Each structure stands twice: as structure tokens, then as C-alpha cells.
Amino acid sequence: MSNLTDMEIFARVVSAGSMSAAGREMSLSPAVVSKRIRRLEEKLGTRLLQRTTRQIAMTEAGQGFYERVVAILASVEEAESFVSRGSAKARGNLRVAVPTSFGRLHIAPHMARFLTENPDLSVNLDLSDDFVDIVGDGYDLAIRIAELSDSSLVARRLAPVHRILCASTDYLEKHGAPNNIEDLMENHVTLAATNQDPWRLAGPDGIVTVRTQAPVKTNSNEVVRECLLAGVGIALRSTWDIGPELREGRLHILLPEYRASKDVGLYAVYPSRQFLPAKVRVFIDFLAQLYGSSPYWDAGLEKWLRIPSNARAV
């Protein structure tokens, strides 16, 4: 049987991206890390990593081994947590992938409270709008805003997500508000990041597809948000992103009977329900209690959010 520490070193090398980085995280020299990886490969009788002077990459056998090692290490940690659960809080390092804007606005401000409640836990928040491979990239869980399809992963819905059409006061003073969806498509500037174009809106007559048209093209949702506030055009935004501006009157909801699919939600996604590590469980429970079915960012917007789209499924 392979040494459990060697497995942990291998997993850390993969997640860190290099032996030197893994060594720094584990307080080991690169030479020791390299020696332990070679010993593991010799015991298994196969190469796990392809090494060059600049980077490492997993072989096919290494990829399969890594996925199983991550599960094994999680089970070991859960077993330790189970034994000490009555007297100890969650321990270790929690690695979480989070969408950039949501992490900045609605996770980072609450980390002080979470860490106070879990003093034996540290958190590595990776903010990115890329769709990460949770198992392959070594994450404990990911926060996703999506309409989730079938998956081998486990997902827990944390909160509803309402995406509505809106524009700034400056834009409306110059161009007026669209009277209907046809007016929106034909006579107005519509803003979207490249990965969110076209829009699929649920409305009174079913699903409507809107291809956006604007003088600004970008792959950044945050750039779209700033252009929206600057009066460049109309955008489809989540209330978690623009709640304060709506309440302050800087932004205004348009065509409220049209909105993105109600099936889109905020989810915590993780590899397996079995032997869920305590550190993952407490973080998910914390967020679920913090947000809930009526999240704080929707406060004061209930009048608009109650307007039904009456959309028929198509």
C-alpha cells in the first residue's frame, strides 16, 4: 500500500502546479518532494507526472490516481473530524472557487464572522469567472450561479437569483425606456459580456432570445456593470450585483415581466455527499443561513420581483 503522506504530497504538487510551490506549502524542500514523488511512482510502477524545466503535467494514469487520492484524503479528514466532532470545530484549509464579483461583494465581507466562528480553519478563496474542474483542480467546493444540469457532482441551492433588465437614470433621460421587447431589440443599446450573449428571457409569451448590440465588447461582467452605471446602455443584471443602485435610484428596472430563467440559482457544488468534510459542511451551512430563500440583497425590491413573467415553457 502506498504511503498516505506520499499521496498527500502528490495531490499538493498537482494543486500547487509545481514541486517547489508544494514544498513551500508543506515546509519541504523541492528535493524531498521530488524524491517522494519518485518513490510513489516506483511503488505504483507507472509515471504520474510529466516533468519539464518549466512545468509539470499529469499523465493519464496520474489524472485517474489524483481523482481517487483527493477522495481518499477527504475521507481521512472526515474520519478525523468525526472522531473529534464533539469537541473540535472544523480544521484545516478550505479551498473554494467563487465567481469574481459575487465573491467580492457577498463572501469576502462575511469572512471575518466565519473565521471567528471557525478559528481552526483557514480559507483559500480563488475568484474567477472560469468554469473550474473542482476535482481536477483540487477544490473542496465551488460557488456557482447557474441553471445546473445533471452532473456527477453534488449541488446545494443556497439562494434564488433574479436577473432583471435595468438602465441608469442618465441613459433613460437621453433615450427613454423601451415600451416592449421589440422596442428594446430594435431601438436600444443592450450590454452583455461575450459569454452571456444572447439573453434568454422568460416573458408573457414564452422564451425570447435577445442578441445584444452595443459599441463596447468585453469578456468582463464588471466592465458591463460599469458601462451600465455610466449610461452606455441597458443590461441584464442580477439583483445581488446592483441591489444598492436600484434602491438608491441610480438604476431602474425595465420591462419587469421579462427576466432570466427562474431556474438559475446560487449553488454550492462539491464532489461527493458521502464523507463530507466538516470544513466543507460548516462553510455551506454558513452561506445557506446567511442568504436563504429571501436573500438580503433583494430587500426593498419585492414589489418588482413579485411581478410574474407568466412565461410558458418552450
Side-chain angles (χ1 to χ4, degrees):
M1 180 179 291
S2 298
N3 185 292
L4 191 62
T5 303
D6 289 347
M7 292 184 183
E8 185 177 4
I9 291 173
F10 168 71
R12 192 66 67 90
V13 168
V14 173
S15 63
S18 72
M19 293 190 184
S20 57
R24 286 193 297 272
E25 292 180 2
M26 302 185 75
S27 300
L28 298 173
S29 70
V32 170
V33 173
S34 179
K35 180 179 179 181
R36 299 292 287 269
I37 294 295
R38 283 199 306 272
R39 185 173 76 175
L40 182 60
E41 289 177 327
E42 290 170 0
K43 179 167 287 189
L44 295 171
T46 188
R47 182 177 288 276
L48 301 173
L49 300 173
Q50 297 287 5
R51 306 159 178 83
T52 68
T53 55
R54 293 186 177 182
Q55 62 181 5
I56 61 171
M58 284 186 288
T59 63
E60 184 177 354
Q63 177 67 44
F65 185 67
Y66 175 73
E67 293 174 0
R68 289 158 177 80
V69 163
V70 169
I72 290 169
L73 295 175
S75 295
V76 170
E77 183 174 350
E78 171 61 18
E80 293 173 345
S81 298
F82 174 79
V83 172
S84 58
R85 193 168 289 164
S87 58
K89 293 182 180 292
R91 295 177 295 138
N93 179 260
L94 179 69
R95 191 164 182 233
V96 188
V98 186
T100 304
S101 296
F102 188 86
R104 177 173 58 82
L105 293 171
H106 298 293
I107 292 185
H110 305 289
M111 289 308 300
R113 174 185 156 194
F114 177 74
L115 293 173
T116 298
E117 294 176 1
N118 299 276
D120 298 322
L121 192 59
S122 61
V123 180
N124 184 348
L125 285 178
D126 283 353
L127 270 58
S128 171
D129 292 325
D130 294 336
F131 196 79
V132 301
D133 178 354
I134 297 176
V135 174
D137 293 337
Y139 289 101
D140 295 299
L141 76 153
I143 304 302
R144 288 184 179 162
I145 300 169
E147 183 176 350
L148 292 183
S149 57
D150 291 340
S151 169
S152 59
L153 302 173
V154 180
R156 178 175 172 184
R157 187 179 175 97
L158 300 175
V161 171
H162 301 287
R163 299 182 68 210
I164 47 87
L165 295 166
C166 56
S168 70
T169 301
D170 287 345
Y171 178 87
L172 295 176
E173 288 177 350
K174 293 177 182 176
H175 304 283
N179 297 313
N180 49 52
I181 200 71
E182 291 76 17
D183 186 19
L184 172 73
M185 292 190 283
E186 295 174 5
N187 301 312
H188 287 271
V189 175
T190 44
L191 303 165
T194 51
N195 65 345
Q196 293 187 339
D197 184 16
W199 299 334
R200 292 186 75 251
L201 302 176
D205 298 316
I207 302 298
V208 178
T209 299
V210 177
R211 295 197 174 277
T212 62
Q213 46 186 348
V216 179
K217 300 295 183 184
T218 179
N219 64 347
S220 168
N221 271 307
E222 294 201 339
V223 168
V224 171
R225 183 182 189 279
E226 294 308 309
C227 287
L228 168 68
L229 292 172
V232 175
I234 296 170
L236 181 68
R237 305 300 295 179
S238 298
T239 52
W240 61 256
D241 188 33
I242 56 168
E245 289 79 10
L246 288 171
R247 284 185 285 271
E248 293 164 7
R250 296 176 60 195
L251 293 177
H252 306 271
I253 295 175
L254 307 176
L255 302 177
E257 68 274 21
Y258 289 91
R259 62 190 66 174
S261 171
K262 65 180 180 181
D263 294 326
V264 173
L266 178 72
Y267 292 90
V269 183
Y270 48 100
S272 174
R273 195 184 307 275
Q274 187 178 21
F275 303 127
L276 183 66
K279 63 181 181 180
V280 176
R281 174 178 49 79
V282 297
F283 189 69
I284 293 175
D285 288 347
F286 175 80
L287 295 183
Q289 183 178 35
L290 179 64
Y291 307 143
S293 58
S294 299
Y296 60 81
W297 54 75
D298 284 341
L301 306 178
E302 294 84 0
K303 169 187 172 183
W304 297 103
L305 298 179
R306 280 198 300 266
I307 297 176
S309 66
N310 296 320
R312 299 188 301 271
V314 297

